[in-house]
Every structure is written in C-alpha cells, then in structure tokens.
Amino acid sequence: MAPLLLFLLLLLGLGLSPIALGAGVDARNWGTDEHHRKFSGVIIPGFMSTRLRSWSLLDCPFSPLNFNPLDPVWLDTRKVLSVPYCWMKCMVLDPVNQTDHPECKSRPDSGIAAISELDPGYITGPLSSVWKDWVAWCVEFGIEAESIVAAPYDWRLAGSALEARDLYFHRLRLTFETCRKLRGGPSLVFAHSLGNNVFRYFLEWLKQEIAPKDYLMWIDDHIFAYHALGAPFLGAAETVKGWLSGVTFGLPIAEGTARSMLSTFSSGLWMLPFSPSCVPPTKACCCTGRDSCNEDDAFSWPMDVLKIDVPMDAGVSLELNPLPTLPECSLPFQRTYPAQKIADGTIFLENLDIDADGKSAFELLKKYYLDDPVLNPLTPWERPPIKNVYCIYGVNLKTEVGYHFAPTGRPFPDNWMMKDVFYETDGTLVSRSGVEVQGSPSAVTGDSTVPYNSLSWCKTWLGEQVNVTRAPQTAHDGSDVQELFNVEHRPGGDIPVNVSRDNRMKYITYYEDALSIPGKKTAVWEVDKIDHRNLVRSPVLLRELWLEILHDSHPQATRSFVSKAKREPMRDEDCFWDYSKARCAMMQRCEYRYVFGDVHLGQSCRLKASTGTHILHYL
C-alpha cells in the first residue's frame, strides 16, 4: 500500500499510530501528537440494513430447517425460500402494539458485523452487502477497530417504539459518551437513508433528557460532524407503493407477502412523503383531493404522489372522514393525493370502502407519528445544531415520484393493482410507458429511490451567500473544475447553478457555506449517477469524506473547506490507462507496474512511492 494511504488516516485522527506512517514522514508536521483530537465514527444504518437474529426456538413443520436462538432472520435467503411461513412469523409484528409474534422473536444483531453484510455467503454476500466496502476502506487505511462504532437498531420499529422496547436512544447516548471517553474527542456521525430519521429523533429525544442549557454543550462535546447520506428529508414515494402493493427488495417472495409483512411495521410510515409548506384548504369539496400549496416552493413535490381509480358503487366512510355535501360535487371517478394528504392519513381514511386495512395504517400513523410527544417526523427538518453538517446524495437517476392504483376486488393483501408509475428523469416527468405527464419537474432528478426535492431539502440550511464548485469525480488536474463564489441563495429556495458540463463526465457539485452561522459549516454534495444503496459503497464519496475530515482535523488548514482544485490518485484503483497517450494517466503519481494476474492495461497502472508532502495543497 502506498505511504499516502497510510498517513491520510493519521491526519483524520481516527486512530493510526505514528509507526504506521510511511518512511520520512514526521508525525509532528501532521498534528498527530498526543494532544491532537481523535475522532470516532458512529454509523447509523438505513431501512432493512441491520441484521436481525432469532431469539426463539421455532420448529418448522415438514422441514429440517428450524429457527434457533441467534439464527439469522434478516437475512437468511435459504430459509426465505425453504420455510417462508416460519420466516414470516419471525419477521412480523403485532400491528397494534408492535410486539413480536407469539411463536418467534427477533432482535437486532450488534457490532460492525450487523451492518456490513446481511446474508454472508459466496453468492448472497455481495448481494446483501451494505457497509462492508466502507469497513474495508477503514481497514485498508489503517483505522483502529475501536474507532468505528456501529449503532444497529430494529428497523421495523418507529422512534418511540425503539426507545420503549430497546432503550435505543439511551444506548445511543451512552455510545457517544463512551467514544469520547475512549478516544478523547467527539464523534463523526454517518447516517444513511432511514438512519437520518433515527438520528433526528435522537436529537429531539435528547432535548427532553438534558437541561436546555446543557443540550448544546453536550452536542459540541460529543458530535463534531454529521454526514447525512441519502437522507429522505421529505419522504419517498416508494413508501406509498410499499403500503399499497408491497416492495420485495429483491427477495424471492410475492408482493402481497411483502405488503403483509410491511403493514405490521410501524417504521413503514416513517418515510411517507409530505409537503414542506402546505396551507389547509379554505373550502373542502369531494371533487378534489388537493391542498392549496405554495406552487412557488422549490421543494414541493413535482406532481400528485398518488391517483386512485374509484368504482362507481364505492361508498364513503362518513363516520371516519365526513365530507361536506355540495350541489356541484359528486363521487369522483378518480381520487388524487398530494403529499400532504398522504402524510396526514387522508389517503387511508378516504379509502376504507376499498381497503379496510387503512384503518390499522391510520392508527399506526396517529400513534407513532402525528401524536408522538417527542417529534412528529412528518414535518420539515431544521438544521441540527452541530458544528459541521454535510448533506450528501446521488442525483440524475430515474426516480419514482408517483403512482396510479386501482382496486382489484380481491381481499387483502392483493386488493390493489398498480396501473402506472411516474418518474422524474432528464428534467421531465414520464409514465412507465415513456409518455410525458404534467407536473413541475426539476432539472435535476433523484437517486433512483428518493426524489430530488426530498434529498435536496437540506439546501434550505445554507445561508444567503453560497460558494458552488463543480468538479469531476475521477482524479483530475483541475482543468475541468468550475467555481462560483458568493452565489445568492433565496431562503427556502433552490440554488441555480449556471455552469457547463461535459455529458461524458460524472461530476460532484459542492454547495458550501461557512459564514451564515458563526462557528458552524454547512455543505451539500450532489454526486452524479450514484444510486441510493450504493452511495455508502462509492469510492468517490469515501475519498471526499477522508479529505474533508483530514482538512477539518489538521492544525495547518487555512481554508474553510478542503480545496477542490485537483484530485490526485489516492489508491491503485484511481490510476488508469490513457489510450490517447499510450501510457498511464497522471504520471506524476501513477506508473506502469505489471503484476501477475492483471488482465488489462489500466489494472497495471499503480501509485508511485511518495512521501506525501503534496497533501498540504488540500488544506
């Protein structure tokens, strides 16, 4: 391994000892003496990203496969295929009180292994890998084992249920306090997808546990930076699809089975789409399901999230959802639901005549979200009071933003049929067949799972003057870097970027603000063509995170953020063959060095030995 890799992590303060440095590097020049602050990394995984294990003895009839204590439940593909009914017993919860099935109990695994690979195996391992590549990078860079801490949780439960059953947030607080005592410095939080919702709930819960005068002090002492990775700030349309028809997540099960399982999880409603600025209607009419929303809001949903065909003979439950009797109104042929009418439960109440399970869904929504005394998660996020906040997500991928459903007349869970799907792609809204549909699309699209308006909500955390930089993702010499300084940002609005781009290149666009809040920094990174799940496995993201933390922890840093002027190769994988020049690209850092087993020229391009003194230009 090149010496550059070895001392980079030393600079991060993540636990490298001086003996790990490359020859000729003086640790004192890099701020790694005994007084230097050392960080811990706390990982909060996303939805379905923590392994669950059995805590029961369950005999599966007519099969040699049973569930014993500590057997994997989520995920064990072999048992999903062989004993699906037993497996479901270990997965489902009571939809009313969120208790386990009487015959089987599952609990989250612990440690890094719980989030790295859900179903280890030659075939299933790579397919179920989540944070394994992230951990491999940490090992490659020489980070000590105690410096990285996982905070797995039972992703089936809503926030209040997590605390009531598992004391999860008490334990998370102890995790931060233990890390500080062990490492001597605050932690870096890395939260992915639903993990961001969990972290937000933790911060609100902490307000009630600590005296107001001590709350901000605790945050400053224990959390140095928060990295929001692929955060669904305003929810995701796929949550609606999961509740109405089921999402299998690639498992060999029927969609109806997936819906039956998901409908018992209180967490299944945690990422419902909601509007950031919706005004209650002044006049109700059963002919329309829309709220009077601010159409100028840059973060409003691009279209109605859901359309439902209603049979002519369908009734309306007036007891649960009274509607005014107006002469100009009649029963609609189609009901439409903008985001806010999904988040407030209207979708469930208005369709009890078609789907009786909507009553159970509404009760879960009311108990664990709308009436939660700590936090209603279906409300807009404010910037957390943390010194450094980085909001990072993928963009410019085809992403689902709406659906068209119709009742089938069959019983639950197969009582809905999805007639169409609507996507945001290339600045337009299209149906599943490719026909363009009406709406208000953004020029930028989401990460294939979460729409762009939801991902980019964190731009509202930026101040009125923002520096914008667009740079290639690959190692580069700076010739294609474009910078705009002091771009005006209207509060509550998006940030227009008037820079050119080469469609053959993949870029990262950085929005950075270090002035609007004294002593605090906020940055938003938009990474081209990185999908939601693979974000935490992206070498580009990992490189940028290492450099940013290197900068923040280095005593000689002079800039507010790490320089984007150029990116030199950090690993052998960053070197490649330049066919136009018939040599390895970036010869100042890479060289041709064949190793037995290389199958192409680029694979034989590797880093040169280096003392690493050039790292100072990033600071």
Side-chain angles (χ1 to χ4, degrees):
M1 182 184 302
L4 169 63
L5 302 184
L6 293 176
F7 64 71
L8 262 179
L9 264 294
L10 179 62
L11 303 182
L12 302 184
L14 283 174
L16 276 177
S17 61
I19 60 174
L21 285 170
V25 178
D26 188 345
R28 293 172 297 179
N29 293 333
W30 300 97
T32 56
D33 54 74
E34 60 183 36
H35 302 293
H36 183 63
R37 172 180 290 167
K38 291 188 176 181
F39 298 134
S40 298
V42 177
I43 300 174
I44 306 178
F47 187 60
M48 291 186 167
S49 296
T50 294
R51 184 188 301 149
L52 302 180
R53 290 191 179 274
S54 169
W55 198 247
S56 302
L57 291 167
L58 178 61
D59 182 24
C60 300
F62 312 110
S63 173
L65 299 177
N66 301 315
F67 282 95
N68 297 305
L70 300 183
D71 282 355
V73 177
W74 183 268
L75 184 60
D76 188 339
T77 308
R78 182 183 56 163
K79 290 182 179 178
V80 174
L81 289 168
S82 303
V83 285
Y85 293 105
C86 276
W87 178 76
M88 280 287 288
K89 288 180 181 179
C90 294
M91 285 297 301
V92 298
L93 300 172
D94 186 292
V96 177
N97 54 26
Q98 295 294 280
T99 56
D100 299 283
H101 190 279
E103 297 182 43
C104 189
K105 177 190 297 183
S106 296
R107 289 295 180 267
D109 203 350
S110 59
I112 291 292
I115 66 172
S116 59
E117 204 170 65
L118 302 180
D119 190 10
Y122 184 75
I123 296 177
T124 57
L127 298 176
S128 63
S129 174
V130 185
W131 292 87
K132 185 177 181 179
D133 291 344
W134 185 291
V135 174
W137 266 67
C138 293
V139 173
E140 182 179 350
F141 277 49
I143 299 179
E144 295 177 0
E146 64 269 21
S147 300
I148 301 297
V149 180
Y153 58 94
D154 193 335
W155 42 262
R156 300 174 298 173
L157 300 176
S160 59
L162 274 174
E163 178 61 19
R165 195 194 73 180
D166 297 341
L167 292 178
Y168 177 77
F169 298 110
H170 273 92
R171 293 159 63 187
L172 186 58
R173 176 184 174 181
L174 288 175
T175 297
F176 285 114
E177 293 173 349
T178 302
C179 286
R180 177 170 178 79
K181 184 170 292 188
L182 178 66
R183 304 291 303 150
S187 296
L188 312 171
V189 177
F190 302 95
H192 180 236
S193 192
L194 181 66
N196 292 281
N197 302 57
V198 173
F199 182 64
R200 180 195 184 192
Y201 195 95
F202 166 72
L203 294 178
E204 294 297 322
W205 170 86
L206 193 65
K207 285 182 181 179
Q208 301 185 6
E209 295 293 315
I210 300 179
K213 63 179 181 179
D214 297 328
Y215 173 71
L216 293 179
M217 184 182 300
W218 190 97
I219 295 291
D220 289 341
D221 287 343
H222 295 87
I223 303 176
F224 180 75
Y226 165 45
H227 302 84
L229 309 174
F233 292 107
L234 303 180
E238 280 196 3
T239 308
V240 177
K241 182 175 70 172
W243 271 90
L244 293 184
S245 65
V247 178
T248 66
F249 297 99
L251 290 178
I253 59 176
E255 288 185 346
T257 302
R259 185 190 179 201
S260 297
M261 180 175 66
L262 181 64
S263 65
T264 69
F265 302 164
S266 56
S267 66
L269 298 166
W270 211 335
M271 293 183 285
L272 281 179
F274 64 91
S275 172
S277 56
C278 211
V279 181
T282 56
K283 178 181 179 181
C285 174
C286 59
C287 293
T288 176
R290 298 184 62 87
D291 288 326
S292 300
C293 294
N294 181 4
E295 297 180 356
D296 294 331
D297 183 4
F299 301 97
S300 62
W301 285 77
M303 63 180 299
D304 289 327
V305 178
L306 183 64
K307 299 178 181 179
I308 291 179
D309 289 341
V310 180
M312 286 295 297
D313 57 349
V316 177
S317 177
L318 297 179
E319 180 180 354
L320 289 173
N321 186 40
L323 293 172
T325 302
L326 300 176
E328 69 271 23
C329 293
S330 60
L331 190 66
F333 292 99
Q334 190 177 83
R335 292 171 179 162
T336 58
Y337 295 93
Q340 198 58 32
K341 282 194 172 292
I342 294 174
D344 65 14
T346 301
I347 177 181
F348 301 120
L349 296 180
E350 282 191 353
N351 292 286
L352 293 177
D353 50 327
I354 303 173
D355 188 356
D357 188 63
K359 183 176 182 180
S360 174
F362 180 76
E363 290 173 350
L364 280 177
L365 178 67
K366 184 173 174 61
K367 178 179 180 180
Y368 292 104
Y369 297 91
L370 303 182
D371 294 341
D372 190 308
V374 174
L375 168 72
N376 175 8
L378 305 179
T379 53
W381 295 42
E382 295 181 357
R383 186 194 186 281
I386 297 172
K387 183 176 181 180
N388 302 292
V389 174
Y390 297 89
C391 179
I392 307 165
Y393 49 87
V395 293
N396 293 326
L397 292 173
K398 189 176 182 180
T399 307
E400 296 177 7
V401 294
Y403 306 96
H404 183 186
F405 275 87
T408 63
R410 295 193 292 268
F412 177 88
D414 301 313
N415 49 334
W416 291 106
M417 173 183 63
M418 186 164 60
K419 299 182 65 176
D420 210 344
V421 185
F422 305 106
Y423 303 89
E424 57 178 10
T425 178
D426 297 328
T428 60
L429 299 174
V430 298
S431 66
R432 183 162 48 187
S433 60
V435 177
E436 190 169 338
V437 296
Q438 292 184 344
S440 303
S442 170
V444 186
T445 58
D447 65 358
S448 78
T449 298
V450 183
Y452 181 72
N453 69 303
S454 181
L455 292 166
S456 61
W457 171 255
C458 54
K459 285 185 177 180
T460 62
W461 301 347
L462 297 167
E464 297 182 0
Q465 299 288 329
V466 179
N467 294 335
V468 182
T469 306
R470 176 170 287 171
Q473 293 183 15
T474 58
H476 61 86
D477 60 5
S479 59
D480 195 19
V481 174
Q482 301 174 74
E483 294 180 298
L484 300 175
F485 298 102
N486 298 322
V487 176
E488 292 189 7
H489 174 216
R490 178 174 58 87
D494 202 351
I495 303 174
V497 180
N498 186 22
V499 293
S500 61
R501 60 180 299 146
D502 185 342
N503 292 330
R504 298 169 298 177
M505 295 285 294
K506 294 181 182 179
Y507 294 92
I508 303 180
T509 305
Y510 308 84
Y511 302 84
E512 298 171 332
D513 169 26
L515 300 176
S516 62
I517 306 177
K520 290 181 169 59
K521 299 190 302 184
T522 308
V524 177
W525 300 353
E526 295 184 345
V527 190
D528 278 349
K529 306 295 183 180
I530 299 293
D531 68 56
H532 188 75
R533 179 183 177 187
N534 289 320
L535 181 65
V536 298
R537 300 190 287 187
S538 167
V540 173
L541 170 63
L542 295 174
R543 179 197 69 202
E544 294 302 309
L545 286 175
W546 301 150
L547 290 176
E548 196 64 57
I549 302 170
L550 162 119
H551 169 274
D552 289 345
S553 63
H554 200 284
Q556 298 181 25
T558 58
R559 300 180 176 91
S560 297
F561 296 92
V562 68
S563 171
K564 314 298 188 301
K566 63 179 179 178
R567 287 292 181 266
E568 295 180 337
M570 294 172 57
R571 311 164 73 220
D572 288 342
E573 289 81 354
D574 295 332
C575 297
F576 58 93
W577 186 260
D578 187 341
Y579 285 91
S580 64
K581 298 180 180 178
R583 67 182 189 187
C584 292
M586 308 193 74
M587 290 295 293
Q588 71 276 16
R589 290 290 299 128
C590 300
E591 65 182 359
Y592 184 84
R593 191 166 71 250
Y594 175 81
V595 174
F596 180 77
D598 291 348
V599 295
H600 58 80
L601 293 171
Q603 199 171 357
S604 299
C605 292
R606 290 179 166 85
L607 288 175
K608 295 179 179 179
S610 170
T611 61
T613 54
H614 59 283
I615 283 298
L616 289 174
H617 74 75
Y618 288 122
L619 306 178

